[in-house]
Amino acid sequence: MSMFESAKDAAKATGEKIGDWVDEQKDRIGDKADEIRADGEVAREEAELKKAQADRDAVEAKNDYKDELRD
């Protein structure tokens, strides 16, 4: 094998390693984005739940007040 072919093989192997590293980083970034998206969804659902509970409590308080006025 000539020196040129050895250098060519080394460059090819290096290129493949870099390509593999880039693919791995892309996957990691995608995984992190999915995780952040899921956390945002959970936070949104928790906020909706708190709002629904507050609305429920307000309606109950209003109805209790009305009941007291009727008595």
Side-chain angles (χ1 to χ4, degrees), residues 1 29 51 58:
M1 185 180 285
I29 290 169
K51 181 183 180 304

PDB file of all heavy atoms in Angstrom, residues 1 29 51 58:
ATOM      1  N   MET A   1       0.861  -1.164   0.000  1.00  0.00           N
ATOM      2  CA  MET A   1       0.000   0.000   0.000  1.00  0.00           C
ATOM      3  C   MET A   1       0.909   1.230   0.000  1.00  0.00           C
ATOM      4  O   MET A   1       1.839   1.349   0.770  1.00  0.00           O
ATOM      5  CB  MET A   1      -0.880  -0.023   1.249  1.00  0.00           C
ATOM      6  CG  MET A   1      -1.877   1.081   1.282  1.00  0.00           C
ATOM      7  SD  MET A   1      -2.929   1.061   2.748  1.00  0.00           S
ATOM      8  CE  MET A   1      -4.056  -0.262   2.424  1.00  0.00           C
ATOM      9  N   ILE A  29     -29.470  16.031  20.510  1.00  0.00           N
ATOM     10  CA  ILE A  29     -30.229  17.285  20.473  1.00  0.00           C
ATOM     11  C   ILE A  29     -31.714  16.999  20.278  1.00  0.00           C
ATOM     12  O   ILE A  29     -32.567  17.604  20.936  1.00  0.00           O
ATOM     13  CB  ILE A  29     -29.685  18.211  19.365  1.00  0.00           C
ATOM     14  CG1 ILE A  29     -28.306  18.736  19.765  1.00  0.00           C
ATOM     15  CG2 ILE A  29     -30.643  19.369  19.098  1.00  0.00           C
ATOM     16  CD1 ILE A  29     -27.562  19.437  18.645  1.00  0.00           C
ATOM     17  N   LYS A  51     -56.252  25.896  36.958  1.00  0.00           N
ATOM     18  CA  LYS A  51     -57.299  26.838  36.566  1.00  0.00           C
ATOM     19  C   LYS A  51     -58.672  26.189  36.719  1.00  0.00           C
ATOM     20  O   LYS A  51     -59.604  26.805  37.251  1.00  0.00           O
ATOM     21  CB  LYS A  51     -57.112  27.299  35.125  1.00  0.00           C
ATOM     22  CG  LYS A  51     -58.158  28.307  34.679  1.00  0.00           C
ATOM     23  CD  LYS A  51     -57.970  28.672  33.226  1.00  0.00           C
ATOM     24  CE  LYS A  51     -58.992  29.669  32.748  1.00  0.00           C
ATOM     25  NZ  LYS A  51     -60.358  29.298  32.918  1.00  0.00           N
ATOM     26  N   ALA A  58     -64.474  28.421  42.824  1.00  0.00           N
ATOM     27  CA  ALA A  58     -65.225  29.678  42.748  1.00  0.00           C
ATOM     28  C   ALA A  58     -66.716  29.405  42.583  1.00  0.00           C
ATOM     29  O   ALA A  58     -67.554  30.062  43.215  1.00  0.00           O
ATOM     30  CB  ALA A  58     -64.706  30.526  41.595  1.00  0.00           C
TER      31      ALA A  58
END
